[in-house]
Amino acid sequence: MDLRSRSEDSLQVVSVHDSRIDAAVAIEFKEAMRSATDSGNDTVVLDLSEVQFIDSSGLGAIVAAMKQMGQSRKLALAGLTPTVEKVFRLTRMDSVFPVFPTLDGALTELKT
């Protein structure tokens, strides 16, 4: 699981550089997210623009990552591809996370 993290003003951006978040990589994703977000900014933007497929295990791993961050921090999602966006919409997880069409849009809105 290839995650890359960087700071952007008061935000932390974690980009997923894999095409899938599924049962095969869910545990690895959770561990990588915990490492990336262990100590960091209060708002984390998860860039999913390269992810083409997500299953229930992947969805659960993202929810687990949010819970690991604690209630005082926020996890926002950006750049969902149509297939991934559909999964979030059908499971109503799009009401749990702030979802932005693009990473740039997320950064612009969340920085203010």
Side-chain angles (χ1 to χ4, degrees):
M1 177 59 42
D2 185 9
L3 296 184
R4 297 181 193 153
S5 177
R6 70 179 199 274
S7 289
E8 182 100 14
D9 292 329
S10 62
L11 305 172
Q12 180 180 4
V13 177
V14 178
S15 298
V16 179
H17 293 279
D18 276 300
S19 62
R20 301 173 68 90
I21 305 176
D22 56 17
V25 298
I27 293 171
E28 187 181 348
F29 173 84
K30 281 192 285 191
E31 293 300 318
M33 275 295 287
R34 181 173 29 179
S35 294
T37 62
D38 227 4
S39 58
N41 305 45
D42 286 342
T43 302
V44 176
V45 179
L46 183 60
D47 176 13
L48 297 171
S49 58
E50 291 185 29
V51 178
Q52 300 300 316
F53 177 82
I54 189 167
D55 67 5
S56 61
S57 296
L59 195 59
I62 292 174
V63 171
M66 176 189 69
K67 289 181 178 180
Q68 286 175 348
M69 289 172 47
Q71 291 184 349
S72 63
R73 299 174 72 202
K74 180 164 91 173
L75 179 62
L77 309 177
L80 278 63
T81 58
T83 304
V84 173
E85 181 183 16
K86 185 176 182 180
V87 171
F88 275 87
R89 197 174 56 252
L90 288 173
T91 58
R92 299 186 185 259
M93 285 290 117
D94 59 343
S95 64
V96 173
F97 297 95
V99 178
F100 298 90
T102 65
L103 178 58
D104 287 343
L107 295 176
T108 299
E109 190 162 330
L110 293 171
K111 282 181 187 175
T112 56

